[in-house]
Amino acid sequence: AARVLGTAALLAGAYAGLQRSRTPSSAADGQKSLVLRRAAQPSNVNYFALLFKGDLPKRIATVLVLLALCRIGFYIPIYGFDADAVGEYFSRQATSGGMGFIDQLFGGGLGRVSLFSLGIGPYITASIIFQILTTVVPALKSLAQGEEGEAGRDRYKNYIKATSFGFALLQGFGQSTTLSPFVFDNGPLWAFEVTVQFAIGAMLTLLISEQITEQKLGNGASLLVFSSIVANLPRTVGATVAKAGENESGYLAAGIFGASLLVTILGLVYILAAERRIPVLFAKRLQEEASGQGGTDDAGQSYLPIKLNASGVLPLIFASSLLSLPALAANYTRLPWLSELAKTLLPGSSAYIPVSMVLIGVFSYVSTFQVLDPKDMATNLRKQAAAIPQVRPGKETEEYLRTVLERASVFGAVILAVLFVLPNLIELLTKLSTPNSFGGTSLLILVGVAADTWRQLQAELLMQQYATDVDQFYKGKKE
């Protein structure tokens, strides 16, 4: 069952990538999108053969090795703990305190007290805070949107890294405080040493994430969360099936739950592939057509693609991480009021679904304008001597694109929230609970990350094919 679900996620990702590969989602790559469309037109493209050309095999191998290194880091223990006692403690917390959901989301290392126990969690928390601050602090917004160039973007990233290290120290200290009863030799410097080890492990995880992202085959943080969910998938599915067999109607409930997962997968594939295509006219092409000098047959088919869900599954990861923070803080501080707050926000509570829907919508809307900036899009169109029909270049184009993005982001956020609700609602109605709260969030992350990774991989394959065609063209010219 685990293999079937994992295969379904990858196939769904492949289908979404095929639907979306004809154009990239950024206006800055407007001219590149035309190249990709022309390279994608031939039906005899051998994608399998392209996997072994250029530097693509090396980059794929690098990503796989980095993911493997990260998984190995979750099994490197920190010295001094009673492993059996810690495992039993986290096993209780996973069922009663919601730590299983947090552990799965952040990497799966909390219960092992390993070097990478904190996983990518501190970076995700810092990213959430900066995404919120970006909407209210103009200086940060200008840095994030690149108004000060690459130096500004780098400074913005460094701010997030520094904040991530601060959260890693804070979370590491909380982890050491929680686990102090299970330590053989709890000396005066022990808490400091363990806190630093946890923080170093978190920053190493962030470094691995950045190296994965640099390979241009997917977002590093998303792929690390994806690998964590996949690693726990066999155990989760096996436990769910075993629990379904305990009741007479358990298998029926499992079938209904499986059908809802399938509908969710298909819906997510659709929303990831859906786009609003804005027609674009290039002045040079119109002049060539008017004079009859080399006008292209696709001059009237150029368009600017606006994805309904430009931010992918990051809103899901951000929303889930934000809801898990009270439970994490309650586990460290043991404050009664914080424990009650955490219980109302974890999966299974009455407030979990509505609050998650609101957060998904907010993060999806905000993320869209961080991924796609109407001002940059309008500027890039003007630089390429391109214009939207019946819309003047410049400020009017910017306002038009902003309106389109607002409508698309709202519609995409609503659909994404509904897809999140469906499996969670079916789980509540059938009373079929899954270990580690595997539900809408985990499923959407699986499919979404698979789709995004396949899309980027196929884009690289198409560019490889285009480069091959150009090489063959010039080789034929020389002959």
Side-chain angles (χ1 to χ4, degrees), residues 213-472:
T213 303
E214 287 183 2
Q215 304 306 315
K216 299 180 180 179
L217 295 176
N219 181 273
S222 298
L223 282 173
L224 290 181
V225 175
F226 176 88
S227 65
S228 172
I229 296 175
V230 170
N232 292 301
L233 194 58
R235 181 180 58 184
T236 301
V237 174
T240 303
V241 173
K243 188 172 183 178
E246 296 176 357
N247 301 323
E248 295 182 358
S249 60
Y251 287 112
L252 176 61
I256 297 175
F257 183 66
S260 71
L261 295 182
L262 180 60
V263 172
T264 304
I265 290 174
L266 296 177
L268 182 60
V269 169
Y270 173 78
I271 193 63
L272 290 176
E275 62 185 17
R276 164 78 181 275
R277 296 182 176 181
I278 302 175
V280 175
L281 298 177
F282 288 87
K284 185 176 180 180
R285 291 188 179 184
L286 294 176
Q287 293 175 359
E288 291 175 347
E289 279 195 330
S291 61
Q293 299 176 357
T296 59
D297 57 357
D298 65 344
Q301 300 176 5
S302 301
Y303 55 83
L304 180 67
I306 302 295
K307 294 295 181 184
L308 293 184
N309 181 25
S311 53
V313 295
L314 284 179
L316 290 168
I317 297 176
F318 283 176
S320 301
S321 301
L322 190 61
L323 290 179
S324 67
L325 290 181
L328 203 60
N331 186 61
Y332 294 155
T333 61
R334 305 294 183 185
L335 294 176
W337 67 270
L338 198 54
S339 299
E340 292 298 323
L341 175 63
K343 290 180 181 179
T344 61
L345 297 177
L346 286 174
S349 65
S350 58
Y352 173 69
I353 291 179
V355 174
S356 296
M357 291 182 66
V358 172
L359 291 177
I360 290 172
V362 171
F363 282 124
S364 181
Y365 181 84
V366 174
S367 298
T368 297
F369 285 93
Q370 290 189 344
V371 175
L372 300 173
D373 182 25
K375 185 177 180 180
D376 288 344
M377 295 168 70
T379 302
N380 289 325
L381 285 175
R382 195 165 191 173
K383 288 180 180 179
Q384 297 175 16
I388 300 174
Q390 300 180 355
V391 179
R392 293 183 178 180
K395 190 66 176 178
E396 188 172 336
T397 298
E398 179 184 344
E399 293 300 326
Y400 175 80
L401 292 174
R402 188 180 303 278
T403 302
V404 172
L405 283 173
E406 287 176 350
R407 295 175 180 175
S409 62
V410 169
F411 182 77
V414 170
I415 297 298
L416 191 63
V418 171
L419 291 176
F420 162 80
V421 167
L422 181 59
N424 286 281
L425 187 61
I426 295 297
E427 185 176 342
L428 289 176
L429 294 177
T430 58
K431 301 185 185 306
L432 182 66
S433 60
T434 55
N436 295 335
S437 303
F438 179 89
T441 303
S442 301
L443 178 69
L444 293 177
I445 291 174
L446 277 177
V447 179
V449 174
D452 183 64
T453 302
W454 173 254
R455 177 185 64 83
Q456 295 195 39
L457 176 60
Q458 194 182 32
E460 294 295 328
L461 292 173
L462 290 173
M463 291 303 296
Q464 186 70 35
Q465 174 66 24
Y466 177 74
T468 302
D469 292 342
V470 172
D471 291 340
Q472 291 177 353

Side-chain angles (χ1 to χ4, degrees), residues 30-49:
Q31 195 65 27
K32 179 181 176 182
S33 66
L34 300 176
V35 172
L36 289 177
R37 285 169 55 208
R38 293 194 187 106
Q41 286 176 0
S43 59
N44 58 349
V45 176
N46 189 342
Y47 293 107
F48 182 76

